[in-house]
Amino acid sequence: MTSASATDHAKILDSSYSWKRLVVAVLLSTIGGVGLWSSVVILPAIQAEFGVDRGDASLPYTATLIGFAIGGIMMGRLVDRFGIVRPIIVGAVMLALGYIATAAASEYWQFILAQALLIGMLGSSTTFAPLVADISHWFLKRRGIAVAIVASGNYLSGALWPPVLQEAIEIVGWRQAHIGVGLFCLVTMVPLAFLLRRKPDLDAMDSATKGSVSEVPMPLSPGKMQAILVLAGVACCVAMSMPQVHMVAYCADLGYGPARGAEMLSIMLGLGVVSRLISGFIADKIGGIGTLILGSTLQCIALLFYLPFDGLVSLYVIAALFGLSQGGIVPSYALIVREYFPAREAGSRISLVLMATVAGMALGGWMSGEIYDLTGSYQAAFLNGIGWNLLNMLIAFWLLASRFKPRPQFA
């Protein structure tokens, strides 16, 4: 790769084109993220349609999350090989087929299978980690805020899609609503994907950042470093899942009612978007590891507050604090990966770490429920979350300390 090529690519970084590309990425993430939320919205309708209990009616969400995690890793590899356009087009087509298939399902297993494979694994998975990886190639000085913005797309999707889908269900029924969602994804995502057809020069990207603050010595072999980041991603999100998954049930147990819990969850997620954007600006100043330490420490403090305080006003305040603390944790992993690994590996490595956070959410939600069943209280579940959070903090501080130790740099 010539120095001229590297210089040309360096001029593109943080340019007006980069910001236009970011807008398109956010739109794709917001539209394609519907797969993570639609099964939650139609849960009551599914329960009535197929005659299943509440636990079984929750299976499509779990299946979607598992498919989403596996698909994210697969699509990340495709991004490294072919660029972002093909995976997005595949995702749009699969979302359309998936929603049409669920609308045509006559048996419950057919609905779950379509939800897991077509909507989760091959559909929505293309619109999170792969887009985060792609946008990281087009920014350097503002990479933190750019990654944070595109990573907020699934939060925006969770804010916009549920009321729209609920209204459609009330008017035309859930089956017709699903067909409409699928067709909408197809006709909007495919044209948007072609706006991203310009491919980054990854070799030039590595050359342009050579010797910059974004390149740091790797304290372990690449495989071990990847494993450490995966463990950190699981740990932080096992802790994060405790309030997010069980807040409604927790408030019902305390006698405040599920509606109060839903309000707290809404506050938590809404401020999570704010936190994610603020953390992006902070990351551009202190880097991915510093942002991870900050977010993880604040999240741990918020979890600790749940132990002594269970008053209604206190819970609202803690929910707000929790939302403001945790939004920047997940995007920080993408920045850490880009600091340690070459650009040509970003798609697969970022996707693997971000999908580990999804696995952590699924594991933590289940684990907290099991702990509650064993103890009859959420106190032990909060302590479990705090323990996992401390593990995440330990890894983050180790990563920071390793930068000040003379170590050989692994290839």
Side-chain angles (χ1 to χ4, degrees):
M1 183 58 56
T2 66
S3 59
S5 178
T7 302
D8 291 341
H9 190 84
K11 293 178 181 179
I12 301 174
L13 299 176
D14 304 283
S15 66
S16 59
Y17 172 78
S18 302
W19 290 101
K20 292 175 183 177
R21 193 177 181 96
L22 176 60
V23 171
V24 175
V26 171
L27 288 174
L28 285 167
S29 182
T30 302
I31 296 170
V34 62
L36 296 176
W37 307 102
S38 60
S39 61
V40 177
V41 177
I42 68 166
L43 191 149
I46 290 300
Q47 187 175 2
E49 177 82 17
F50 294 102
V52 295
D53 59 24
R54 182 56 57 88
D56 288 340
S58 301
L59 285 177
Y61 176 74
T62 302
T64 302
L65 214 59
I66 294 172
F68 183 82
I70 296 172
I73 298 172
M74 295 166 48
M75 295 301 170
R77 293 182 180 276
L78 289 179
V79 169
D80 285 338
R81 185 172 182 180
F82 300 110
I84 192 64
V85 175
R86 293 186 189 181
I88 292 295
I89 292 176
V90 168
V93 173
M94 291 301 106
L95 281 170
L97 293 177
Y99 278 107
I100 293 173
T102 54
S106 58
E107 299 290 339
Y108 192 43
W109 67 266
Q110 296 171 350
F111 181 91
I112 295 176
L113 188 64
Q115 188 75 37
L117 295 181
L118 298 177
I119 295 177
M121 182 183 295
L122 302 176
S124 289
S125 68
T126 64
T127 62
F128 182 48
L131 282 171
V132 171
D134 176 78
I135 209 64
S136 74
H137 296 317
W138 301 94
F139 290 86
L140 183 58
K141 294 180 180 179
R142 300 300 179 191
R143 182 180 290 163
I145 185 59
V147 166
I149 290 173
V150 75
S152 298
N154 63 340
Y155 275 19
L156 292 173
S157 185
L160 298 175
W161 272 111
V164 172
L165 191 54
Q166 183 60 46
E167 184 71 18
I169 291 171
E170 293 176 358
I171 296 174
V172 299
W174 73 268
R175 292 182 185 272
Q176 293 298 320
H178 264 213
I179 293 174
V181 168
L183 294 177
F184 179 81
C185 289
L186 183 65
V187 301
T188 56
M189 290 175 62
V190 171
L192 286 171
F194 281 109
L195 296 178
L196 304 180
R197 62 185 179 274
R198 183 176 185 177
K199 292 184 179 181
D201 190 334
L202 300 184
D203 291 330
M205 179 74 222
D206 287 330
S207 180
T209 58
K210 196 76 173 176
S212 73
V213 294
S214 66
E215 181 197 41
V216 294
M218 191 178 297
L220 298 172
S221 66
K224 291 180 179 178
M225 192 68 186
Q226 182 80 69
I228 286 290
L229 293 176
V230 165
L231 177 60
V234 171
C236 77
C237 287
V238 168
M240 190 184 298
S241 68
M242 172 56 227
Q244 289 191 6
V245 176
H246 291 274
M247 181 53 61
V248 175
Y250 182 49
C251 286
D253 289 349
L254 293 174
Y256 301 130
R260 295 292 190 181
E263 291 175 357
M264 293 177 196
L265 181 60
S266 178
I267 291 172
M268 192 182 297
L269 294 177
L271 290 177
V273 176
V274 176
S275 171
R276 186 157 287 185
L277 297 178
I278 293 175
S279 296
F281 285 108
I282 294 174
D284 286 329
K285 302 296 183 181
I286 65 175
I289 292 177
T291 306
L292 175 61
I293 291 174
L294 177 62
S296 186
T297 302
L298 291 176
Q299 177 175 270
C300 192
I301 293 172
L303 285 171
L304 285 167
F305 283 153
Y306 278 111
L307 296 176
F309 301 110
D310 61 4
L312 184 60
V313 175
S314 299
L315 289 176
Y316 273 107
V317 173
I318 297 171
L321 176 61
F322 190 86
L324 287 171
S325 69
Q326 51 84 25
I329 294 177
V330 172
S332 69
Y333 293 117
L335 301 177
I336 294 171
V337 169
R338 292 293 281 109
E339 290 172 357
Y340 283 107
F341 294 97
R344 62 183 177 275
E345 301 175 6
S348 56
R349 295 195 180 275
I350 288 177
S351 294
L352 184 56
V353 177
L354 295 192
M355 292 308 103
T357 67
V358 175
M361 291 294 293
L363 174 62
W366 168 82
M367 189 180 292
S368 297
E370 289 294 312
I371 293 173
Y372 176 85
D373 289 337
L374 290 172
T375 64
S377 168
Y378 276 119
Q379 290 294 301
F382 279 118
L383 288 171
N384 177 66
I386 291 168
W388 283 92
N389 203 127
L390 290 173
L391 173 59
N392 178 260
M393 292 171 61
L394 180 64
I395 294 173
F397 278 108
W398 173 81
L399 288 171
L400 180 64
S402 68
R403 295 194 171 188
F404 299 98
K405 295 180 180 180
R407 294 176 181 267
Q409 184 172 357
F410 290 87

